[in-house]
Amino acid sequence: MLLLVGISGAGSWLAYFAALKIGPTAGVAALDRPSLGFIFLLSVLAFRDPHSWRGWSASP
């Protein structure tokens, strides 16, 4: 699992830099920022993870 996480992280950065070569920086960054929201939605909808405002605001 750790190997897959590393590969996907490296692939993400490579795709980000490739997008920066092709398109304007503002457009690439605008697409990159909502990714945290997409991860949240995926975890709720696909994996049925329980989330609450208290869990997001509490420090570990």
Side-chain angles (χ1 to χ4, degrees):
M1 185 62 102
L2 189 57
L3 181 64
L4 290 176
V5 169
I7 291 171
S8 66
S12 170
W13 277 105
L14 290 173
Y16 185 74
F17 289 133
L20 284 174
K21 282 174 92 174
I22 296 170
T25 304
V28 173
L31 285 175
D32 181 52
R33 294 297 156 213
S35 62
L36 183 61
F38 292 138
I39 293 169
F40 173 77
L41 285 176
L42 180 67
S43 71
V44 171
L45 298 175
F47 301 120
R48 308 273 189 231
D49 282 349
H51 292 284
S52 68
W53 289 109
R54 179 175 285 195
W56 278 90
S57 64
S59 61

